[in-house]
Amino acid sequence: MHRAEDGSLWTVEAYLEKGALVQPLDDFLNHGLGRIVVLRFEDPALAAKGAALAFDRIANGAPIDYDEAFDGDDPNELFCSEIGPWAIALAGGPTDLPRSRTAFPQDENPAFFAAMGIDADALMAPVDMLYDPRFTIVGEWR
Protein backbone atom coordinates (compact mmCIF):
# COMPACT_ATOMS: atom_id res chain seq x y z
CA MET A 1 0.00 0.00 0.00
CA HIS A 2 1.18 3.52 -0.79
CA ARG A 3 0.30 6.68 1.14
CA ALA A 4 0.35 9.67 -1.21
CA GLU A 5 1.50 13.13 -0.11
CA ASP A 6 -2.14 14.19 0.27
CA GLY A 7 -2.72 11.29 2.70
CA SER A 8 -4.75 9.16 0.28
CA LEU A 9 -4.08 5.42 0.36
CA TRP A 10 -3.47 3.38 -2.79
CA THR A 11 -2.91 -0.28 -3.55
CA VAL A 12 -0.27 -1.50 -5.96
CA GLU A 13 -1.41 -4.76 -7.54
CA ALA A 14 -1.28 -7.12 -10.51
CA TYR A 15 -4.24 -8.95 -12.03
CA LEU A 16 -4.33 -11.54 -14.78
CA GLU A 17 -6.87 -9.55 -16.77
CA LYS A 18 -5.31 -6.10 -16.26
CA GLY A 19 -1.62 -6.43 -15.46
CA ALA A 20 -0.04 -4.16 -12.86
CA LEU A 21 -2.21 -1.30 -11.63
CA VAL A 22 -2.76 1.15 -8.82
CA GLN A 23 -6.14 1.99 -7.33
CA PRO A 24 -7.49 3.85 -4.30
CA LEU A 25 -7.74 1.67 -1.20
CA ASP A 26 -11.51 2.21 -0.99
CA ASP A 27 -11.95 0.85 -4.53
CA PHE A 28 -9.85 -2.21 -3.63
CA LEU A 29 -11.89 -2.86 -0.48
CA ASN A 30 -15.17 -2.59 -2.42
CA HIS A 31 -14.25 -5.63 -4.54
CA GLY A 32 -15.75 -7.92 -1.90
CA LEU A 33 -12.68 -10.08 -1.41
CA GLY A 34 -13.10 -13.06 0.90
CA ARG A 35 -9.80 -12.59 2.76
CA ILE A 36 -7.26 -9.82 3.08
CA VAL A 37 -4.02 -10.13 5.06
CA VAL A 38 -1.88 -7.07 5.77
CA LEU A 39 1.83 -7.71 6.26
CA ARG A 40 4.44 -5.26 7.54
CA PHE A 41 8.07 -5.54 6.43
CA GLU A 42 10.69 -5.32 9.18
CA ASP A 43 11.99 -1.99 7.81
CA PRO A 44 8.93 0.29 7.47
CA ALA A 45 10.94 3.14 5.90
CA LEU A 46 12.30 0.84 3.20
CA ALA A 47 8.83 -0.60 2.58
CA ALA A 48 7.33 2.90 2.27
CA LYS A 49 10.05 3.92 -0.17
CA GLY A 50 9.44 0.76 -2.20
CA ALA A 51 5.69 1.37 -2.23
CA ALA A 52 6.23 4.94 -3.47
CA LEU A 53 8.62 3.80 -6.22
CA ALA A 54 6.32 0.97 -7.31
CA PHE A 55 3.30 3.29 -7.29
CA ASP A 56 5.11 5.87 -9.42
CA ARG A 57 6.43 3.25 -11.86
CA ILE A 58 3.03 1.64 -12.38
CA ALA A 59 0.96 4.85 -12.33
CA ASN A 60 3.26 6.83 -14.62
CA GLY A 61 5.34 4.32 -16.58
CA ALA A 62 4.73 2.01 -19.47
CA PRO A 63 2.17 -0.72 -18.78
CA ILE A 64 3.46 -3.85 -17.04
CA ASP A 65 1.74 -7.04 -18.17
CA TYR A 66 0.73 -9.88 -15.87
CA ASP A 67 3.45 -12.50 -15.54
CA GLU A 68 1.65 -15.65 -16.63
CA ALA A 69 4.92 -17.61 -16.49
CA PHE A 70 5.38 -16.73 -12.78
CA ASP A 71 9.02 -15.76 -13.37
CA GLY A 72 9.83 -13.95 -10.13
CA ASP A 73 13.29 -13.03 -11.41
CA ASP A 74 12.05 -10.95 -14.37
CA PRO A 75 10.48 -7.60 -13.36
CA ASN A 76 9.30 -6.80 -16.90
CA GLU A 77 6.04 -8.64 -16.11
CA LEU A 78 4.55 -9.00 -12.62
CA PHE A 79 2.08 -11.31 -10.91
CA CYS A 80 0.23 -10.55 -7.68
CA SER A 81 2.66 -12.07 -5.17
CA GLU A 82 5.62 -10.52 -6.95
CA ILE A 83 4.58 -6.92 -6.26
CA GLY A 84 5.83 -6.68 -2.65
CA PRO A 85 9.28 -8.21 -3.22
CA TRP A 86 9.66 -6.20 -6.45
CA ALA A 87 8.80 -2.94 -4.65
CA ILE A 88 11.24 -3.59 -1.81
CA ALA A 89 13.99 -4.47 -4.29
CA LEU A 90 13.28 -1.21 -6.19
CA ALA A 91 14.04 0.63 -2.94
CA GLY A 92 17.39 -1.14 -2.57
CA GLY A 93 16.17 -3.77 -0.13
CA PRO A 94 16.84 -7.49 -0.11
CA THR A 95 16.26 -9.39 -3.32
CA ASP A 96 15.66 -12.75 -1.63
CA LEU A 97 12.02 -12.10 -0.68
CA PRO A 98 10.39 -14.36 0.27
CA ARG A 99 13.16 -16.55 1.66
CA SER A 100 11.34 -19.74 0.73
CA ARG A 101 9.30 -20.12 -2.45
CA THR A 102 6.63 -22.63 -3.34
CA ALA A 103 8.10 -25.48 -5.38
CA PHE A 104 6.68 -26.33 -8.78
CA PRO A 105 7.50 -30.01 -9.41
CA GLN A 106 8.03 -29.63 -13.15
CA ASP A 107 9.49 -33.12 -13.49
CA GLU A 108 6.32 -34.72 -12.07
CA ASN A 109 3.99 -33.28 -14.71
CA PRO A 110 5.99 -31.56 -17.45
CA ALA A 111 3.10 -31.50 -19.94
CA PHE A 112 0.90 -29.57 -17.51
CA PHE A 113 3.49 -26.88 -16.85
CA ALA A 114 4.47 -26.67 -20.52
CA ALA A 115 0.82 -26.22 -21.52
CA MET A 116 0.54 -23.35 -19.04
CA GLY A 117 3.80 -21.78 -20.24
CA ILE A 118 5.43 -22.02 -16.81
CA ASP A 119 9.19 -22.54 -16.73
CA ALA A 120 9.76 -21.63 -13.08
CA ASP A 121 10.77 -24.34 -10.62
CA ALA A 122 9.52 -22.15 -7.76
CA LEU A 123 7.29 -19.13 -7.44
CA MET A 124 6.42 -16.44 -4.91
CA ALA A 125 3.06 -17.72 -3.69
CA PRO A 126 1.06 -15.43 -1.37
CA VAL A 127 1.51 -17.88 1.51
CA ASP A 128 5.31 -17.68 1.20
CA MET A 129 5.30 -14.12 2.55
CA LEU A 130 3.42 -15.28 5.66
CA TYR A 131 6.34 -17.51 6.61
CA ASP A 132 9.17 -15.07 5.93
CA PRO A 133 10.33 -13.86 9.38
CA ARG A 134 11.00 -10.38 8.00
CA PHE A 135 7.23 -9.79 7.78
CA THR A 136 4.67 -9.47 10.55
CA ILE A 137 0.92 -9.95 10.13
CA VAL A 138 -0.74 -6.73 11.31
CA GLY A 139 -4.29 -7.37 10.15
CA GLU A 140 -6.59 -9.92 8.61
CA TRP A 141 -10.17 -9.61 7.41
CA ARG A 142 -12.48 -12.42 6.30
Side-chain angles (χ1 to χ4, degrees), residues 40-135:
R40 180 168 292 139
F41 186 61
E42 66 185 357
D43 183 341
L46 183 67
K49 180 180 177 184
L53 290 169
F55 174 88
D56 184 59
R57 167 61 186 86
I58 293 171
N60 301 309
I64 300 176
D65 291 332
Y66 189 83
D67 185 0
E68 294 182 35
F70 301 109
D71 183 356
D73 298 320
D74 180 4
N76 294 312
E77 294 181 335
L78 297 169
F79 61 94
C80 56
S81 303
E82 198 175 358
I83 294 286
W86 170 72
I88 290 171
L90 281 177
T95 58
D96 65 341
L97 297 175
R99 280 201 177 128
S100 296
R101 295 183 181 184
T102 297
F104 267 18
Q106 300 258 354
D107 56 337
E108 293 179 20
N109 195 345
F112 172 76
F113 290 102
M116 291 185 64
I118 298 173
D119 293 328
D121 292 324
L123 74 103
M124 298 175 198
V127 70
D128 297 337
M129 301 296 276
L130 295 174
Y131 297 108
D132 189 314
R134 295 168 288 183
F135 292 88

